[in-house]
Amino acid sequence: MTVTQHPRFVDLDRCIACGTCAEKCPKKANDSYNENLVKRKAIYVPYSQTVPLKYAIDPENCIYFAKGKCKACEKFCPAGAINFNDAEKEITLQVGSIILAPGFKSFDPSSYDTYSYTNLPNVVTAIEFERILSATGPFMGHLVRPSDNKEPNKIAWFQCIGSRDINLCDHGYCSSVCCMYAIKQTLIAKEHSGIPIDCAVFYMDMRTHGKDFDRYYENAQKSGVRFIRSRIHSLSQIAGTDDLLVRYATEDGTLEQEIFDMVVLSTGLEIDKSIIELAARLGIKLDNDNFSLTDTFHPVATSVPGIYACGAFSGPKDIPSSVTEASAAACAATEHLAPVRFTRTKSLDLPPEKDVTREAPRIGVFVCNCGINIGGVIKVPEVVEYARTLPNVAYVEENLFTCSQDTQEKITEVIKDKGLNRVVVAACSPRTHESLFQETLINAGLNKYLVEMANIRNQDSWVHSEDPDAATEKAKDLVRMAVAKTALLTPLRETDLNNIRSALVLGGGVAGMTAALSLARHGYPVHLVEKSEALGGNALRLYKTHKGEAVASYVQGLVRAVESEKLITVHLDSIVTNVDGFVGNFKTDLSHGSSREVIEHGVAILAVGAKEYEPKEYLYGEHDAVMTHLELDYLFLHNDTRLDGVKNVAFIQCVGSRNQENPYCSKVCCSHSLVSALELKRRKKDINVYIFYRDIRTYGKREILYREAREKGVLFFRYSLDEKPVVSPNGDRVQIVFRDPVLDRRLAVNADILCLATAIISHRDQSLAQLFKVPLDMDGWLLEAHQKLRPVDFPNDGIFLCGMAHYPKPIDESIAQAKAAASRALTILAKEKIKVGGIVSRIVPELCSGCFGCVNVCPYGAITFDYDKQIAVVNEALCKGCGACAATCPSEAVILMGFDKEELYAQITSALSA
Amino acid sequence: MEKKDDSKELEGAVAVIGGGIAGMQTALDLANSGYYVYLVEKTAGIGGVMAQLDKTFPTNDCSM
Amino acid sequence: MKTIEFEPKIIAFVCNWCAYGAADLAGVSRLQYPPNIRLIRIMCSATVSPHFILKAFQSGADGVLVGG
């Protein structure tokens, strides 16, 4: 493939991101990171945490490119990094697969006259509001409205701007994320604001269908956020003020009005024109809304073999789903590349490590000027001279740029020539540069933990630029503190443990089978454990997906693929009775009837699924006309004669969901009811279908079902929790009495079939959670390490989750999650050895009194008690180096390596010894 | 098409187009499981839309 | 009458993952603050035992900040 690289006009190797260029640049340009609410310079970094943290010139705004002169940046750049001759490059890449993650564009509401976005300054988009809330935004996180910088008392959110609308914006889909982000923004706005603030959300259906979303929604209601089911009629500015008059129609058709200080448009997600063009160049088929066309069973594949898609490109989705799909795409894109794993990666040739433990400390101190960033404020030569006077210092040097490549080579030489055994670098932050200097030490044959940094830039010259003398004194203190600690540093060991390169997958449903197959296709043996007598799980009982694909036949194919895969050993009728060990070295006991088996594996994937709620309400189990979704699917699957004479079918949504017992949305039931309703209509046009709902949550592309159902004459009646439909027997039929909120009248229908959209509930498997030492949430779902960024990981390494054990979800999401769990597992299976050690805790056995303090305080379960020796023992593979144990131990028996008490005491006393 | 010895033509590298949260995660997983990654981003730095967000549900963590 | 201005010496224990990063960002944003504070980087605020705080006071600190 060929890639065009645009010129940056800044040399990445030379730029030190000091910001002098931007300070001197005379040209201001719109700051797109801040949604153009503020200006940046024509030479800029997109935002201060980006990678690479290097400047770039925006040629469209640069004066030199417009008028042929200026070059202020070049003149002032201390590193000589500016290159106006930089040119566009064509780069040819040899790759085995391509993954597209081009993202989305926030919908531009300019075309809606109703919302006057272009001419009313206090009407902002949601992404603009994010920037307004942000500490790095246009108002430094101070919540004010743009027109007059007044703190708003009342803010309104308008939902579905650029979503669920085929008249103005031609986006029939639901953008999936706006309901949640609007709720979040109301709560953050309340938190940020200096004054009490009234937040109102104008919406059609609140779609809080994800894990813990409904709880968050309820919390917002409890904290006073008003949610108003309505359609917006108009928005106008009140003459003589910057305030906004909102007119809206409530559900019963009444026109109301209210004044707000500010309106946030909850804009949807759409695909950018440039992405549509990219797709055309690659020959990728897009759907009617320009999202990548995918099928339910291959959620990260595109229409072109070898090209994969993830994130919002294949449909509007939130961060956890994007992260999940990203991992899934990594897994899917490399299934055929398993034979060439590690053929293109590079490995380093490293010198042997010198043993310095018996040598007296000989510290080398390297003081950086960072161009003028440090040298312009701090008197670096004075710091250098001061460093020479410190104990254990054998060598001191001043550098213009300590981080430059040539300086690394020089440091390596100096370490060898002068026999240095420890290094202090007085420069910028260890957070950005420690790994670089650690690498330099490795190249010089020293243990990488023998370097310490004194942060004399970010935490000194930059923050005390107005007081050079004090900054210089502080730099001396920081160097002295670093030298004091460094003298005490000991080499830290990282040891290699054996990695058992095979997996245990628990659960033989779609998620478990998908994960097992993916791992096997990557070449790793898998033990697939299923507690029932057959593979397949819940999906075998489903009729069709929301895209109309038959489910059961796909699942049967999946079962056959698993059974014929040589690397997969299937254990049916089996349960786990014990789990020992840690990442790379698990030992799990399986019990199958009376026989037992011990499996050794390096990773585990928990895909134990969930189950359908058994209703206690609406005559379920008492009247034959009342059934669940899976029971109706059974009738469809078998073309049951019971469907023949049916005239009226009713669905009641949220049966067992969104109530006190199960305060969450089961996510799939709205779509399932609509798929069934449409199937009924397809089979018999004149059939009457009634759906009783609370909010229709056909998120993303599923919204098409909702539109189609209304077009086909399916009738929808909203009910509230105070007045649920009442079901009573009426011969072979049941009668449903309900209140129609539009007419505000009680009505009744008779149904031949009443399908209850039953909840999906967790197995609430405490014993499984205890065996694998993984957490469950309040509703009994497996709880991931981080709900946004680590959606299939657990806090403990080597164990992953997928499928409905995590939360109710449709098949495409289960498959994506299963592949994601496999992908995360592959990052471990690919390693020959598991590295442990470094910054971890050690316990001095002689000092341990066996009080259990550390065992109880460790958040990672890394400390166990050895009852024979009566002492606590750290498992280095599990320890994350937080030091909670060391702080807790009353006997000071625990040492946190690299941050032990002597080292910290040395820093404390030397900080105060000036 | 005739069947060839595929492995000779396979490349152990993957191109990822887009440096937002999805692109970064896929790149990290690929690199950590033994593939060389080319991460292609059209702007001057990676991070994407998530870097513009103030805080995220449910922990109200900062998006950075 | 001559007065001696009191300038406190403050020791701060800051978590590598948050407060230390925030202090770095303060630098990037060129925020100015008094130079009386000395930061000690730790890997997690859980590391800070009361001993460290007492040691700081014992060694002459006027204030201790734990940021995590």
Side-chain angles (χ1 to χ4, degrees):
Chain A
M1 66 181 286
T2 321
V3 174
T4 304
Q5 185 172 37
H6 301 302
R8 187 182 191 103
F9 307 107
V10 175
D11 186 339
L12 286 177
D13 295 331
R14 291 190 170 184
C15 174
I16 51 158
C18 65
T20 310
C21 52
E23 194 186 306
K24 301 293 179 189
C25 175
K27 181 69 203 288
K28 285 188 173 174
N30 278 332
D31 180 4
S32 58
Y33 173 70
N34 273 312
E35 294 294 317
N36 304 338
L37 294 168
V38 282
K39 300 280 181 189
R40 60 153 164 81
K41 294 295 182 65
I43 185 161
Y44 69 106
V45 280
Y47 61 101
S48 52
Q49 296 90 348
T50 193
V51 174
L53 189 57
K54 306 282 178 183
Y55 279 76
I57 292 176
D58 159 11
E60 279 172 27
N61 283 294
C62 173
I63 294 175
Y64 173 73
F65 286 105
K67 298 184 181 159
K69 56 183 178 186
C70 175
K71 291 197 176 181
C73 48
E74 190 177 37
K75 204 179 307 162
F76 289 100
C77 177
I82 310 292
N83 172 16
F84 280 103
N85 297 321
D86 200 1
E88 195 169 283
K89 290 185 195 84
E90 289 274 304
I91 302 171
T92 304
L93 306 176
Q94 295 291 335
V95 295
S97 305
I98 299 173
I99 298 175
L100 299 177
F104 65 90
K105 175 175 154 282
S106 178
F107 177 74
D108 176 1
S110 305
S111 60
Y112 277 76
D113 292 339
T114 321
Y115 306 125
S116 307
Y117 167 69
T118 39
N119 48 34
L120 298 181
N122 293 330
V123 178
V124 300
T125 64
I127 193 98
E128 286 168 349
F129 195 68
E130 287 288 338
R131 296 313 307 149
I132 289 172
L133 288 173
S134 173
T136 58
F139 308 115
M140 314 275 282
H142 187 55
L143 176 53
V144 295
R145 66 180 189 182
S147 76
D148 52 5
N149 285 11
K150 182 193 129 174
E151 287 189 327
N153 294 95
K154 288 182 73 177
I155 309 180
W157 276 258
F158 291 180
Q159 297 308 106
C160 299
I161 306 298
S163 308
R164 301 180 67 187
D165 182 355
I166 47 172
N167 295 322
L168 279 169
C169 67
D170 203 23
H171 291 342
Y173 56 86
C174 157
S175 289
S176 287
V177 301
C178 327
C179 283
M180 272 311 279
Y181 77 56
I183 299 173
K184 180 207 74 177
Q185 289 186 341
T186 61
L187 291 174
I188 303 283
K190 277 175 169 289
E191 195 182 287
H192 273 231
S193 177
I195 52 175
I197 180 171
D198 175 34
C199 301
V201 180
F202 293 86
Y203 73 102
M204 296 195 279
D205 296 279
M206 280 315 283
R207 293 191 168 164
T208 46
H209 47 265
K211 192 172 187 170
D212 270 342
F213 286 13
D214 256 328
R215 259 199 196 90
Y216 201 67
Y217 176 31
E218 274 168 34
N219 282 343
Q221 285 170 306
K222 277 182 204 144
S223 43
V225 177
R226 293 182 293 140
F227 291 88
I228 303 164
R229 197 185 291 270
S230 57
R231 298 302 284 256
I232 298 297
H233 173 271
S234 64
L235 173 68
S236 56
Q237 191 158 310
I238 295 171
T241 73
D242 293 341
D243 300 344
L244 303 162
L245 179 73
V246 175
R247 289 161 162 267
Y248 61 96
T250 59
E251 206 177 8
D252 59 8
T254 329
L255 200 61
E256 306 264 2
Q257 63 178 45
E258 196 175 335
I259 298 168
F260 289 92
D261 294 308
M262 213 178 156
V263 167
V264 181
L265 303 178
S266 294
T267 40
L269 277 48
E270 67 178 3
I271 298 295
D272 188 55
K273 220 175 110 232
S274 65
I275 313 295
I276 300 170
E277 290 160 10
L278 171 70
R281 284 201 295 280
L282 298 174
I284 288 169
K285 286 197 188 120
L286 303 180
D287 68 12
N288 293 336
D289 297 307
N290 295 319
F291 294 106
S292 164
L293 198 66
T294 55
D295 73 71
T296 297
F297 306 124
H298 304 90
V300 292
T302 67
S303 60
V304 178
I307 304 186
Y308 300 82
C310 59
F313 179 45
S314 54
K317 57 180 66 75
D318 61 3
I319 296 167
S321 307
S322 295
V323 173
T324 301
E325 278 191 3
S327 286
C331 173
T334 50
E335 271 182 17
H336 67 293
L337 300 179
V340 289
R341 189 189 295 279
F342 288 115
T343 54
R344 290 278 301 272
T345 50
K346 293 162 187 171
S347 57
L348 298 166
D349 224 1
L350 301 173
E353 189 178 305
K354 199 175 133 196
D355 179 12
V356 300
T357 46
R358 285 162 198 213
E359 295 176 7
R362 285 180 59 79
I363 303 172
V365 180
F366 298 84
V367 188
C368 182
N369 276 284
C370 196
I372 57 164
N373 280 295
I374 296 170
V377 176
I378 291 166
K379 297 179 191 84
V380 171
E382 213 177 286
V383 177
V384 167
E385 284 317 308
Y386 177 73
R388 291 192 210 284
T389 67
L390 294 169
N392 301 313
V393 171
Y395 179 81
V396 186
E397 182 182 299
E398 176 180 343
N399 313 112
L400 184 59
F401 296 111
T402 311
C403 63
S404 67
Q405 193 46 48
D406 54 323
T407 312
Q408 302 320 299
E409 284 153 25
K410 217 165 121 199
I411 294 175
T412 312
E413 287 311 306
V414 169
I415 288 172
K416 289 179 187 159
D417 290 353
K418 309 279 176 188
L420 303 179
N421 53 25
R422 279 161 186 78
V423 170
V424 167
V425 177
C428 49
S429 174
R431 284 173 52 88
T432 51
H433 282 74
E434 190 176 56
S435 56
L436 172 79
F437 297 115
Q438 285 187 334
E439 207 178 292
T440 303
L441 260 70
I442 294 171
N443 288 330
L446 287 179
N447 183 278
K448 71 174 187 179
Y449 293 100
L450 295 175
V451 62
E452 181 76 14
M453 290 186 73
N455 192 333
I456 61 168
R457 187 182 77 173
N458 297 45
Q459 298 179 6
D460 192 356
S461 66
W462 276 354
V463 291
H464 308 308
S465 53
E466 285 153 22
D467 194 347
D469 290 337
T472 304
E473 286 314 303
K474 183 172 173 181
K476 289 180 192 170
D477 285 3
L478 292 174
V479 169
R480 185 176 66 244
M481 288 160 69
V483 167
K485 182 180 179 188
T486 305
L488 299 172
L489 289 178
T490 51
L492 303 191
R493 295 281 148 240
E494 285 179 351
T495 42
D496 288 335
L497 293 183
N498 190 29
N499 184 15
I500 302 166
R501 298 166 86 178
S502 66
L504 175 89
V505 177
L506 205 55
V510 165
M513 287 192 292
T514 304
L517 263 183
S518 293
L519 293 174
R521 284 176 185 156
H522 276 92
Y524 299 103
V526 181
H527 290 273
L528 179 59
V529 181
E530 166 59 38
K531 70 177 173 194
S532 77
E533 70 287 352
L535 295 173
N538 290 314
L540 277 176
R541 299 163 67 194
L542 292 174
Y543 180 52
K544 277 183 183 173
T545 69
H546 80 278
K547 290 178 180 168
E549 303 117 324
V551 180
S553 55
Y554 172 77
V555 181
Q556 283 150 8
L558 197 59
V559 172
R560 282 194 297 275
V562 167
E563 285 170 346
S564 57
E565 172 58 60
K566 287 189 189 70
L567 285 172
I568 299 179
T569 313
V570 179
H571 303 261
L572 295 175
D573 274 321
S574 300
I575 54 162
V576 171
T577 52
N578 190 42
V579 183
D580 264 335
F582 49 88
V583 58
N585 295 274
F586 288 108
K587 259 195 192 122
T588 298
D589 295 359
L590 290 186
S591 134
H592 168 74
S594 56
S595 67
R596 306 183 79 85
E597 192 178 345
V598 179
I599 309 263
E600 294 196 345
H601 54 104
V603 295
I605 294 177
L606 308 186
V608 293
K611 58 188 175 189
E612 189 180 43
Y613 163 74
E614 198 184 316
K616 299 174 198 73
E617 51 270 74
Y618 301 124
L619 300 182
Y620 181 78
E622 294 167 34
H623 196 293
D624 283 347
V626 185
M627 60 186 70
T628 66
H629 265 315
L630 291 180
E631 287 160 352
L632 180 58
D633 274 2
Y634 181 89
L635 301 186
F636 286 140
L637 275 167
H638 297 85
N639 289 314
D640 196 287
T641 49
R642 277 193 66 188
L643 292 168
D644 297 343
V646 166
K647 288 199 179 73
N648 288 349
V649 179
F651 293 82
I652 299 179
Q653 300 303 112
C654 297
V655 178
S657 301
R658 300 181 67 193
N659 59 13
Q660 263 192 324
E661 197 186 339
N662 301 312
Y664 57 86
C665 166
S666 295
K667 199 173 190 180
V668 300
C669 346
C670 280
S671 304
H672 200 157
S673 291
L674 293 183
V675 168
S676 300
L678 287 167
E679 178 66 20
L680 289 162
K681 283 277 186 190
R682 193 184 64 80
R683 290 183 181 218
K684 215 196 257 174
K685 250 189 191 152
D686 58 348
I687 205 163
N688 297 311
V689 182
Y690 308 90
I691 296 184
F692 301 96
Y693 72 99
R694 291 171 60 195
D695 291 278
I696 291 290
R697 292 182 168 174
T698 42
Y699 60 96
K701 297 181 186 176
R702 289 167 175 80
E703 179 71 8
I704 296 161
L705 295 173
Y706 190 20
R707 195 170 67 234
E708 199 186 332
R710 281 174 296 167
E711 282 165 6
K712 298 254 161 76
V714 175
L715 296 172
F716 291 85
F717 299 96
R718 194 175 67 78
Y719 73 89
S720 69
L721 269 187
D722 327 325
E723 201 169 3
K724 289 187 189 176
V726 177
V727 180
S728 54
N730 186 4
D732 287 347
R733 304 171 121 194
V734 287
Q735 188 186 54
I736 303 147
V737 179
F738 61 98
R739 176 173 295 279
D740 177 3
V742 179
L743 301 172
D744 196 25
R745 278 173 58 183
R746 280 169 75 84
L747 302 173
V749 293
N750 286 304
D752 303 296
I753 288 176
L754 169 61
C755 178
L756 303 180
T758 41
I760 294 172
I761 57 172
S762 68
H763 294 300
R764 213 178 263 284
D765 196 341
Q766 296 286 359
S767 65
L768 175 84
Q770 272 159 18
L771 282 171
F772 285 93
K773 299 184 188 75
V774 297
L776 297 181
D777 74 5
M778 279 188 279
D779 302 318
W781 309 112
L782 291 171
L783 184 59
E784 60 272 36
H786 190 285
Q787 291 199 1
K788 280 269 180 295
L789 300 175
R790 293 179 66 196
V792 299
D793 297 6
F794 282 111
N796 20 359
D797 293 337
I799 309 176
F800 307 92
L801 68 136
C802 60
M804 295 215 292
H806 159 262
Y807 194 70
K809 57 177 63 69
I811 294 182
D812 47 354
E813 291 171 31
S814 270
I815 291 175
Q817 216 181 9
K819 285 191 182 291
S823 179
R824 304 292 300 142
L826 285 168
T827 62
I828 292 166
L829 292 171
K831 292 180 191 151
E832 267 179 57
K833 301 279 179 189
I834 298 287
K835 258 203 189 334
V836 299
I839 300 172
V840 291
S841 286
R842 298 245 165 100
I843 293 173
V844 182
E846 296 78 28
L847 295 176
C848 177
S849 64
C851 75
F852 274 78
C854 56
V855 178
N856 294 330
V857 83
C858 177
Y860 304 98
I863 308 182
T864 48
F865 197 73
D866 182 336
Y867 284 94
D868 293 339
K869 294 181 186 151
Q870 288 291 307
I871 51 164
V873 185
V874 178
N875 183 333
E876 291 188 1
L878 297 173
C879 176
K880 305 272 185 209
C882 75
C885 49
T888 306
C889 180
S891 320
E892 298 194 329
V894 189
I895 301 167
L896 176 59
M897 305 303 289
F899 290 85
D900 73 30
K901 65 175 194 298
E902 298 308 331
E903 288 161 355
L904 287 172
Y905 285 161
Q907 269 186 299
I908 297 165
T909 49
S910 78
L912 296 158
S913 67
Chain B
M1 217 167 90
E2 262 181 84
K3 207 171 173 201
K4 291 183 211 160
D5 180 5
D6 284 346
S7 64
K8 273 184 191 155
E9 290 179 12
L10 294 175
E11 287 286 345
V14 180
V16 176
I17 315 299
I21 186 67
M24 292 190 289
Q25 180 65 52
T26 203
L28 283 170
D29 277 9
L30 289 164
N32 284 325
S33 47
Y35 300 95
Y36 195 87
V37 182
Y38 298 98
L39 181 57
V40 183
E41 162 63 38
K42 73 176 169 198
T43 70
I46 59 172
V49 179
M50 190 176 173
Q52 287 182 281
L53 305 182
D54 175 41
K55 290 184 175 125
T56 59
F57 156 88
T59 48
N60 292 350
D61 282 354
C62 127
S63 292
M64 295 296 168
Chain C
M1 206 176 99
K2 200 180 156 192
T3 56
I4 300 166
E5 265 186 54
F6 169 66
E7 281 294 337
K9 287 181 261 180
I10 301 162
I11 295 291
F13 297 98
V14 282
C15 165
N16 178 60
W17 309 106
C18 51
Y20 193 91
D24 278 352
L25 209 53
V28 174
S29 314
R30 307 297 199 271
L31 300 176
Q32 302 290 306
Y33 55 80
N36 307 38
I37 190 161
R38 298 291 174 267
L39 266 57
I40 294 177
R41 182 172 77 117
I42 48 180
M43 295 314 277
C44 172
S45 49
T47 306
V48 183
S49 89
H51 292 125
F52 295 150
I53 297 169
L54 292 173
K55 184 79 179 178
F57 284 125
Q58 215 176 30
S59 313
D62 299 299
V64 176
L65 175 99
V66 181

